[in-house]
Amino acid sequence: MSAAPIALPGEPRVDLAAARAHGLSDAEFAAIERLLGRTPTFTELGVFSVMWSEHCSYKSSRKHLKTLPREGASVVGGPGENAGAIDVGDGWVAVFKIESHNHPSYVEPYQGAATGVGGILRDIFTMGARPIASMDSLKFGALDHPRTRYLVNGVVGGIGGYGNCVGVPTVAGEVMFDPGYNGNILVNAFALGLARREDLQSARAHGVGNPVLYVGSATGRDGIHGASLLASAEFDAASEAKRPTVQVGDPFTEKLLIEACLEAIKTGAIAAIQDMGAAGLTSSSSEMAGRGGLGVELDLERVPLREANLTPYEILLSESQERMLIVAEQGREAELAAVFERWDLHAVVIGKITGDGRWRARFKGDVVADIPVAAISDDAPVYDRPAAPPSAPGAATIPRPAAPAIRPAPAAALRALIASPNVASRRWVFRQYDSLVLSNTVAGPGGDAAVLRIKGSRRGLALKVDSNPRACAIDPYLGAIATVCEAARNVACVGARPAAITNCLNYGNPERPEIMWQFVRGVAGLRDAALAFATPVISGNVSFYNETEGRAIPPTPTIAMVGTFADVSLNVKHYFSFPGDAILIVRTAAPALAASEYADLFGVASGQLAPIDLARERRLIDGLVECAQRRLVRSAHDVSEGGMAVALAEACCNPTAPFGAAIDPDATDGDVAALFGEGASSVILSAPAENVEVLREVFAPLEVREIGRVSAAPRLVIGRDIDEDVAALQRLYEDALPGRLGRHD
């Protein structure tokens, strides 16, 4: 038995006050003392604080996340690894995950967003997959809020700066502006990679005596307590002081690390590998050992440092970027070190795997931490927090200023919606991202979903990220279902079969019953929709404490859906291409103004969400995929923000030359909900006239209505209500966001 760990000279006293300052509750500190049979050292206190933090331990959500479907015929790796993985055919595996970097991005937007991209990329290539695509979901405050422009410019710059330099394309995303995010923005980053199935790696350590290698950048003081005190606590008036807890990224080193890791994996000398993400060396070492039911011993003196005099506490808790931890097969460490040396990267043996189930750290010959691995890898407290609905709908979110209840003429409403920051083109954002690097991109930003080819085969992938916080604020359960439906619908519109989900569940403080109620209902909605579409939830992230001074963000479960093509050449565009084609609308239910952009923009009472029939939703998805496989349609476009009128306008904006649409008067007959309603799953199709009857059979028993024809003249004519020049609408659509941001470059 090793000697008890010692406290180092000059370290702060460990007591209840110190534990509270580290974000631990009184009961948690008492549990730590019982578990150890003594008071922890200061280093151990730091270790428990990060590993028992909400961000690392999922102590408020784990009970509920277990209800999500995780298994499926194509699933080859699910929760418990660095990312999820599905078999996509021909020996290829798609590896993907989405994570939050919300608080760091609010405190320091450029580095917060950049390191969010870097971290999610490492989760992918640590699985043995080459990253080939990224997406993002961004939520900002109102455009007239004094901090919004600064945050937008910083976050967009950070995503582009990191992704472009590391050479991974950003192929899709979403951006929303809402006063509910004035004090707490959301930055959710997604990445996907491809691997041969036989090259897939694990983060489960094995082999007593196997050496532990530290690879990548040297360790500094950046990011200390990023997981525990920044990501696992709400904001307050002192949030700006938390900037030192934000990591600093280096995309050029990340590129070297990608290539070095993928080369090292090919040697077969790696037993396990994990990114040093949240909680850095502490989490990566303890989680790998814990998964394998083993122990680990670290010699902290061997860790490469970029600053002198770092303490064990700082070395273990640093979240410096571009670092990985590898368990090597014994006797092959020199072989791996040679690979990393060729890429000009550190590769140093800093410890070994043990069989005693202990997580032990030494510094200058002294033991500074000695903890049961299970205590920090698996056995953090799990809470079943009280959950109760708020006293009034939306009471848990920030109050909204009342807009004047005006009902503009339909044409004026369409122009206003087209120019709304939540509907207008995001080109100003995505043109700052390289969406074509690696040459896998078939369809990039601006459509219903991104489409990627898998080189060397006919197969392909479709990717989309969606959220619907307005709907979730009204009804967290139905809102979550609607979000999954929209993500599946977008993927199916381009012709892909929805295959699997990764999620980022963004909510307020789980210690408040109304917030926990939102979360529990949201998870239930995600579960039911995932089961209906046979799309297991194979990875994800929970982000709690998204609030400032007691005011929570709207509940925002973000869903990233991945779909598969057997033949990627059958992908479907979202815009009209052939004059004379029939225009059809397919609906699962009647549209409504509840949670719509129209209701928000014009101050219309939103009302409650309508029930969602998941069997009908699945029928729509199946029909869209069949249409693509049989080449029955020339375009398919999801009806979402702005309703049918906006969807028609977008479909007219063919990038080669604008087309028009002549819509029959009886399709809307001046009905505002028919023109601008959302809520129900609706899709606009264009197809040769001779295919209309076949389409009715494909989608039966859903409503399939022929509403007009594509015209060569670029005018959008909707009955007697709207007659607009498409080119003028397109200019309004493209210029609105940069105009509001004051950016015309």
Side-chain angles (χ1 to χ4, degrees):
M1 183 174 178
S2 63
I6 66 166
L8 297 178
E11 286 187 330
R13 172 186 171 88
V14 175
D15 55 18
L16 185 56
R20 289 170 177 167
H22 278 71
L24 294 164
S25 71
D26 294 9
E28 288 169 347
F29 183 61
I32 291 167
E33 291 191 309
R34 286 195 303 272
L35 191 152
L36 296 177
R38 55 178 169 79
T39 298
T41 66
F42 184 67
T43 298
E44 290 173 329
L45 180 67
V47 167
F48 274 105
S49 76
V50 292
M51 296 307 295
W52 284 18
S53 70
E54 192 70 60
H55 189 75
C56 291
S57 73
Y58 289 67
K59 57 191 176 186
S60 298
S61 59
R62 196 185 306 181
K63 172 181 183 288
H64 305 286
L65 296 177
K66 289 180 179 179
T67 66
L68 296 174
R70 301 179 178 187
E71 304 297 328
S74 66
V75 177
V76 294
E81 291 288 352
N82 288 288
I86 59 171
D87 189 325
V88 294
D90 296 336
W92 288 106
V93 172
V95 178
F96 54 93
K97 188 180 184 182
I98 189 169
E99 281 199 339
S100 62
H101 230 226
N102 302 335
H103 285 183
S105 299
Y106 184 82
V107 173
E108 213 305 304
Y110 185 95
Q111 289 296 346
T115 53
V117 174
I120 198 66
L121 291 175
R122 289 193 297 280
D123 281 336
I124 301 308
F125 68 80
T126 194
M127 296 281 291
R130 177 174 294 281
I132 64 167
S134 64
M135 301 190 292
D136 50 74
S137 174
L138 310 178
K139 299 288 185 290
F140 298 105
L143 265 175
D144 57 4
H145 188 272
R147 193 172 166 84
T148 295
R149 291 186 185 184
Y150 161 73
L151 291 169
V152 170
N153 290 330
V155 167
V156 171
I159 292 169
Y162 203 100
N164 294 351
C165 291
V166 81
V168 175
T170 303
V171 298
E174 62 166 3
V175 183
M176 183 179 183
F177 300 90
D178 189 276
Y181 304 98
N182 282 349
N184 194 126
I185 66 172
L186 301 184
V187 175
N188 295 173
F190 166 99
L192 177 144
L194 283 177
R196 300 300 295 174
R197 185 160 183 170
E198 62 270 19
D199 292 335
L200 204 60
Q201 297 296 296
S202 174
R204 183 184 301 273
H206 68 260
V208 173
N210 274 345
V212 175
L213 274 68
Y214 172 117
V215 303
S217 294
T219 293
R221 288 188 169 90
D222 54 315
I224 294 174
H225 277 301
S228 57
L229 297 186
L230 181 59
S232 299
E234 64 185 73
F235 281 148
D236 54 31
S239 294
E240 282 295 307
K242 297 177 180 177
R243 183 165 293 170
T245 63
V246 178
Q247 310 96 321
V248 177
D250 179 356
F252 299 105
T253 298
E254 180 101 336
K255 175 60 175 173
L256 298 177
L257 194 59
I258 291 173
E259 300 304 330
C261 286
L262 293 178
E263 183 179 332
I265 286 166
K266 293 290 187 182
T267 68
I270 292 178
I273 180 171
Q274 180 158 330
D275 165 39
M276 288 192 223
L281 179 57
T282 295
S283 63
S284 54
S285 58
S286 63
E287 288 171 358
M288 282 202 294
R291 291 187 189 105
L294 297 169
V296 62
E297 187 167 297
L298 304 173
D299 187 344
L300 302 182
E301 278 187 274
R302 299 183 183 181
V303 173
L305 305 179
R306 66 167 183 261
E307 300 178 53
N309 302 318
L310 263 69
T311 66
Y313 177 100
E314 292 171 323
I315 293 169
L316 287 168
L317 270 61
S318 170
E319 295 180 11
S320 293
Q321 297 291 284
E322 292 82 43
R323 304 179 302 158
M324 309 286 281
L325 201 65
I326 290 174
V327 177
E329 297 291 352
Q330 197 165 5
R332 303 188 68 179
E333 49 266 45
E335 183 181 350
L336 289 173
V339 171
F340 286 94
E341 185 177 351
R342 282 199 297 275
W343 293 97
D344 199 26
L345 294 170
H346 294 287
V348 181
V349 176
I350 65 164
K352 63 182 179 181
I353 296 299
T354 66
D356 62 2
R358 308 290 294 184
W359 183 88
R360 190 175 296 112
R362 297 182 182 273
F363 185 68
K364 295 183 179 179
D366 294 318
V367 175
V368 293
D370 190 347
I371 302 169
V373 165
I376 51 176
S377 65
D378 295 309
D379 295 341
V382 176
Y383 296 125
D384 187 5
R385 297 196 185 275
S391 56
T397 60
I398 292 177
R400 313 182 65 80
I406 57 173
R407 291 289 184 114
L414 174 60
R415 290 192 296 271
L417 285 163
I418 286 285
S420 162
N422 289 328
V423 174
S425 169
R426 272 75 179 114
R427 189 176 304 278
W428 177 83
V429 174
F430 65 68
R431 76 180 185 86
Q432 299 181 56
Y433 307 151
D434 190 336
S435 62
L436 299 175
V437 64
L438 300 179
S439 67
N440 297 303
T441 307
V442 176
D448 284 47
V451 178
L452 305 174
R453 67 172 58 86
I454 298 176
K455 292 174 181 173
S457 76
R458 300 188 66 85
R459 297 185 181 275
L461 300 168
L463 321 176
K464 186 62 170 67
V465 59
D466 277 302
S467 61
N468 194 336
R470 287 179 184 155
C472 292
I474 295 172
D475 187 321
Y477 174 77
L478 288 174
I481 288 179
T483 304
V484 177
C485 289
E486 183 173 3
R489 194 163 64 245
N490 277 298
V491 163
C493 275
V494 300
R497 169 76 62 187
I501 288 170
T502 179
N503 66 82
C504 194
L505 306 178
N506 305 277
Y507 291 83
N509 183 345
E511 298 165 49
R512 296 166 57 193
E514 67 272 21
I515 299 297
M516 201 63 207
W517 175 80
Q518 292 176 340
F519 177 77
V520 171
R521 296 299 293 153
V523 170
L526 169 56
R527 175 200 64 214
D528 290 350
L531 288 170
F533 294 127
T535 49
V537 181
I538 64 169
S539 60
N541 174 228
V542 176
S543 177
F544 279 135
Y545 296 98
N546 288 290
E547 55 184 77
T548 300
E549 298 180 347
R551 292 174 298 180
I553 62 162
T556 312
T558 300
I559 304 300
M561 182 74 73
V562 174
T564 58
F565 292 95
D567 185 348
V568 74
S569 69
L570 299 178
N571 74 93
V572 178
K573 307 304 182 187
H574 73 277
Y575 45 78
F576 301 144
S577 300
F578 288 87
D581 272 359
I583 300 172
L584 303 97
I585 189 163
V586 185
R587 286 179 173 144
T588 61
L593 294 178
S596 69
E597 184 68 18
Y598 182 96
D600 188 77
L601 194 61
F602 301 118
V604 176
S606 187
Q608 295 301 302
L609 303 182
I612 296 174
D613 185 330
L614 282 167
R616 291 173 66 83
E617 298 294 330
R618 177 63 185 263
R619 186 73 203 94
L620 176 63
I621 300 303
D622 291 343
L624 288 167
V625 175
E626 182 179 347
C627 284
Q629 292 172 344
R630 295 174 59 184
R631 298 183 185 272
L632 294 175
V633 298
R634 291 205 172 106
S635 72
H637 187 31
D638 170 42
V639 174
S640 55
E641 293 87 354
M644 183 181 75
V646 168
L648 286 166
E650 291 170 338
C652 288
C653 295
N654 186 307
T656 303
F659 282 79
I663 305 302
D664 300 335
D666 61 358
T668 61
D669 198 24
D671 181 10
V672 172
L675 282 166
F676 306 114
E678 302 169 25
S681 289
S682 302
V683 175
I684 299 289
L685 306 176
S686 68
E690 59 269 23
N691 290 354
V692 170
E693 289 307 314
V694 178
L695 291 171
R696 289 197 171 102
E697 294 173 5
V698 166
F699 287 103
L702 304 183
E703 176 191 3
V704 180
R705 186 175 181 185
E706 184 176 356
I707 59 173
R709 293 295 174 107
V710 176
S711 60
R715 295 199 70 81
L716 174 59
V717 180
I718 304 179
R720 293 173 288 272
D721 304 311
I722 293 171
D723 187 347
E724 294 287 317
D725 176 60
V726 171
L729 290 176
Q730 190 168 10
R731 285 193 298 272
L732 192 60
Y733 181 70
E734 295 291 349
D735 294 344
L737 187 55
R740 294 286 298 274
L741 290 169
R743 299 295 296 269
H744 298 282
D745 50 321

